[in-house]
């Protein structure tokens, strides 16, 4: 077990009326707020926009709005939000939506306390030291940003996707009303499930030893995802499965499952290039890449892949041919993604040629080699893109 | 899945030098501190007392001391600590020790902000609203108080054992140096393991349904305890098992495993009477009572006990006689306690007669019936004491 530091100060509330608490929770922090959201039809037609505005008004909170967040959120809108915060001396940011909205809100919160350009933090030119408090009303469980210390942003000018991590970016509160997730379309639901499963995988495929507790916890969370995914694929209106996924997304990514172990994260980094270059949906990059990554690296730590196959996917261990068991576990992982209709090849997500493979591989490794289980350089990354064709 | 609210703002640090960070962590909060500890030989002979004092001094923190905490901590010493806090206007309490020290520190922190007598909170005469910040240096993983919202105290004048729970009682920081736990004697180590296992059991034996995530997580934590207990019983110097237990004690009791499910806690309440009347060690009351409680209530929810037997103790399910499987799981639980040399009868912990059974049963139910899986009245509790003879 490695040394670690872990904190997750966020107040989490799951309840059928949880979103209505945003006014009173914001009021404890500030008398005004920047309300960040997608600004799409759903926000208005579902009545959610009105309910949030009413809750803020009832609590006496002055509200400024930043609608228009897109998937793979862009730094441009963030700069707009920072301008609003400065102009109106806003004391708190409220994200109502999924990971893109929350990551945007965190970036705004960061930039509002900084005189330079917010991208400095993402390009590692500046080290973040403070941010405005962020609260969230979760509507799309997937990235776990509602409980995490990270924010991922895209810069269309440079074609980069980059992140910032700091404990003060963890939300002050996260409100979860499972009813809000009942109408998430099947496709987005699946990508959310792939994302949270991958967040556990990135921590599970560790080279740290003597990590029984976090191993068993990771395996438990993955098994719960398998059970709830099966329930939800049969009935998209399953309230309980929806509610469990809201909490699973957070547990998978608030850092708890990584306490005392190193992590991998190569697949996320390799996938981020597909989002930056092809605007591919984050979850889709992971269902395509994870099985390929696993096949590329499994020989590095066969016992870990055997344990994964046996404990997560109930594969009977062939003790005379453990490599076979390891590969069967990887096959089952791919099969799980396929069973939900998630893509497992680059073609399915619109990457038809290999022309950008080299550039993406080099960009993925621009800060050095990546991955914890096996260290990957640009050649390795390019090979994984080729496996995924 | 039930509605829930969960927060665990404590900053946790596990490292071989973690205890040395107490000075700088306190300094972020206050320039003086009340240092609460056992004041036993170990504190001084091991050099821990000196190292803590040095770290506080190096950080420029003025230190006042409250030594003398006993197992099953008493309200008398707490009142003394509150007097010191008032006299010196102390801004923070540092607990260096195990659950008794931390519970004492939390009680002092509570009382220091209250004009009346601190026992008012434990007797439910007053509702707690604030407390001084508490930091901890963990030396005896067991109760999980270093990450929990609770404090348990004993009042020798009334013979009562009672608790207070409030999120603001969660420690600001908890520092874990696994080396400090290597010298814990076998007996105390075992009671600590029983205590943390029981904290998971109290949450696992729930009547809530559709709780796959927390079920699998509880089962994972219990399996990790079984594996690490086996390792430690073979070699009490196993650093990794010791380190895992430090973190396990917290995960088992910070509330994470109860998110979205009701809990039981009858066994803890029944056991607390044995501590109050016979000064029995907390962990020993649990190894005696848990198998008895389980045998008394299992018919209330046979599927849950079958799942426990199968998933935690790998009992092959007899689908034609599931009650048999449930009982085999309970037998394995008792066998686990026995395998570590933990007591499983009241006689072994010095309770020779049944003379106090009725009074203890009535005291256990003084605020009403107890238990979540099955609601127990004084007659039920008395029956469980009789089963444990």
């Amino acid at each position: 077990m490695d040394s670690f530091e872990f904190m997750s100060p966020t107040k989490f509330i799951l309840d059928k009326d949880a979103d209505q608490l945003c006014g009173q929770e914001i009021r404890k922090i500030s008398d005004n707020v920047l309300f960040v959201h997608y600004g799409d039809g759903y926000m208005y037609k579902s009545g959610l926009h009105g309910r949030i505005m009413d809750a803020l008004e009832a609590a006496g909170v002055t509200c400024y709005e930043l609608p228009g967040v897109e998937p793979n959120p862009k730094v441009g809108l963030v700069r707009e939000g920072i301008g609003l915060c400065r102009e109106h001396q806003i004391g708190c940011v409220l994200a109502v939506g999924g990971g893109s909205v929350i990551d945007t809100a965190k970036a705004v919160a960061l930039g509002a306390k900084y005189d330079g350009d917010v991208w400095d933090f993402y390009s590692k030119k500046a080290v973040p030291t403070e941010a405005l408090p962020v609260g969230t009303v979760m509507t799309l469980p997937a990235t776990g940003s509602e409980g995490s210390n990270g924010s991922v942003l895209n810069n269309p000018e440079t074609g980069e996707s980059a992140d910032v991590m700091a404990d003060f970016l963890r939300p002050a509160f996260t409100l979860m009303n499972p009813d809000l997730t009942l109408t998430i379309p099947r496709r987005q639901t699946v990508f959310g499930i792939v994302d949270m499963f991958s967040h556990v995988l990135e921590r599970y495929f560790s080279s740290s030893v003597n990590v029984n507790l976090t191993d068993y916890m990771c395996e438990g969370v993955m098994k719960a995802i398998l059970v709830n995914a099966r329930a939800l694929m049969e009935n998209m209106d399953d309230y309980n499965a929806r509610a469990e996924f809201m909490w699973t997304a957070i547990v998978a990514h608030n850092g708890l499952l990584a306490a005392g172990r190193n992590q991998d994260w190569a697949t996320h980094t390799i996938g981020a290039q597909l989002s930056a270059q092809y605007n591919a949906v984050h979850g889709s990059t992971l269902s395509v890449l994870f099985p390929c990554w696993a096949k590329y690296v499994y020989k590095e730590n066969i016992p870990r892949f055997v344990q994964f196959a046996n404990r997560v996917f109930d594969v009977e261990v062939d003790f005379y041919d453990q490599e076979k068991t390891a590969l069967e576990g990887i096959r089952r992982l791919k099969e799980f993604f396929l069973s939900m209709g998630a893509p497992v090849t680059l073609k399915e997500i619109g990457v038809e040629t290999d022309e950008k493979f080299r550039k993406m591989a080099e960009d993925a490794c621009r800060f050095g080699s990546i991955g914890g289980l096996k260290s990957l350089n640009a050649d390795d990354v390019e090979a994984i893109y080729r496996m995924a064709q």
Side-chain angles (χ1 to χ4, degrees), chain A:
Chain A
M1 192 185 192
D2 304 342
S3 296
F4 70 87
E5 183 174 328
F6 171 69
M7 68 184 300
S8 170
T10 309
K11 181 205 256 189
F12 298 105
I13 301 177
L14 184 141
D15 190 74
K16 274 175 171 284
D17 293 315
D19 51 311
Q20 298 306 294
L21 302 173
C22 68
Q24 66 190 64
E25 290 298 328
I26 293 285
R27 198 65 185 84
K28 292 176 192 166
I29 302 169
S30 172
D31 60 5
N32 64 7
V33 71
L34 184 70
F35 167 19
V36 184
H37 58 96
Y38 293 116
D40 58 350
Y42 170 78
M43 268 304 281
Y44 300 99
K45 278 184 225 153
S46 68
L48 179 59
H49 183 270
R51 289 203 308 279
I52 298 291
M53 294 298 270
D54 290 348
L56 293 172
E57 196 186 334
V61 175
T62 306
C63 179
Y64 302 91
E65 279 188 80
L66 184 73
V69 178
E70 295 165 43
N72 298 320
K74 314 292 183 291
V75 67
L77 190 73
V78 169
R79 290 181 183 129
E80 219 176 285
I82 293 167
L84 285 169
C85 285
R86 287 183 186 149
E87 185 183 342
H88 302 290
Q89 297 189 297
I90 293 174
C92 179
V93 186
L94 175 66
V96 181
S100 301
V101 173
I102 301 168
D103 284 4
T104 298
K106 287 176 174 178
V108 170
L110 202 54
K113 290 277 206 174
Y114 177 63
D115 288 336
D117 178 41
V118 69
W119 189 255
D120 291 352
F121 298 120
Y122 292 81
S123 63
K124 320 293 183 222
K125 269 187 210 154
V127 176
T129 56
E130 57 174 341
L132 293 176
V134 173
T136 89
V137 172
M138 199 347 81
T139 67
L140 185 60
T143 72
S145 184
E146 62 277 21
S148 85
N149 63 351
S151 162
V152 181
L153 219 55
N154 289 267
N155 188 338
E157 295 151 34
T158 64
E160 283 174 291
S161 166
D163 62 17
V164 168
M165 281 188 274
D167 276 329
F168 56 78
L169 286 181
R170 292 180 183 272
F173 64 84
T174 279
L175 307 173
M176 297 173 273
N177 173 357
D179 281 337
L180 296 179
T181 67
L182 286 170
T183 50
I184 301 171
R186 188 181 184 96
R187 188 170 168 274
Q188 268 178 287
T189 302
V190 168
F191 289 145
I193 295 170
V194 171
D195 196 13
M196 51 188 106
F197 200 87
S198 302
H199 287 157
V200 187
L201 290 173
E202 298 279 29
R203 292 170 168 104
Y204 186 70
F205 288 111
S206 168
S207 58
S208 299
V209 291
N210 297 110
V211 285
N212 297 299
L213 178 63
T214 41
D215 265 5
Y216 277 121
M217 287 175 74
C218 286
E219 288 152 2
V221 174
M222 288 190 276
K223 286 195 278 192
I225 293 175
L226 295 178
V227 168
N228 285 318
R230 205 175 304 130
L232 210 51
M233 291 306 109
E234 275 174 24
N235 173 18
M236 296 295 283
D237 296 327
D238 186 325
Y239 175 89
N240 278 296
R242 292 283 193 187
E244 290 230 298
F245 273 127
M246 288 198 102
W247 186 225
T248 303
I250 291 163
V251 171
H253 200 48
N254 78 340
L256 176 78
L257 300 181
R261 56 198 291 147
N262 67 12
Q263 309 171 49
D264 196 87
W265 296 102
T267 308
H268 266 72
T269 308
I270 303 171
Q273 295 305 318
L274 295 169
S275 296
Q277 292 292 326
Y278 294 93
N279 209 24
V281 177
H282 180 55
S284 75
T285 69
L286 299 168
S287 60
V288 169
L289 291 172
F290 235 114
C292 300
W293 170 85
K295 271 201 173 170
Y296 192 80
V297 307
Y298 78 95
K299 287 187 181 166
E300 203 69 19
N301 194 334
I302 289 182
R304 179 141 294 276
F305 279 90
V306 172
Q307 182 180 312
F308 171 69
N310 176 252
R311 293 199 193 161
V312 179
F313 284 106
D314 293 322
V315 178
E316 201 79 60
V317 179
D318 183 337
F319 291 97
Y320 291 93
D321 188 352
Q322 300 200 17
E323 199 170 332
K324 192 173 135 196
T325 306
L327 286 167
E328 175 60 15
I330 297 169
R331 197 190 67 72
R332 299 263 185 115
L333 172 66
K334 189 169 174 179
E335 190 178 80
F336 166 54
F337 292 154
L338 277 168
S339 75
M340 297 188 294
V344 292
T345 63
L346 285 175
K347 274 195 198 72
E348 291 169 80
I349 61 170
V351 182
E352 303 279 350
T353 70
D354 63 1
E355 61 181 339
K356 292 187 178 173
F357 285 2
R358 189 67 210 173
K359 179 185 164 29
M360 291 194 299
E362 281 169 5
D363 283 354
C365 298
R366 69 194 183 284
F367 299 123
S369 62
I370 57 173
L373 189 88
K374 179 179 166 75
S375 186
L376 305 175
N377 61 26
D379 290 343
D380 297 313
V381 174
E382 191 180 343
I384 290 170
Y385 285 132
R386 292 202 183 281
M387 287 170 77
Q389 276 183 299

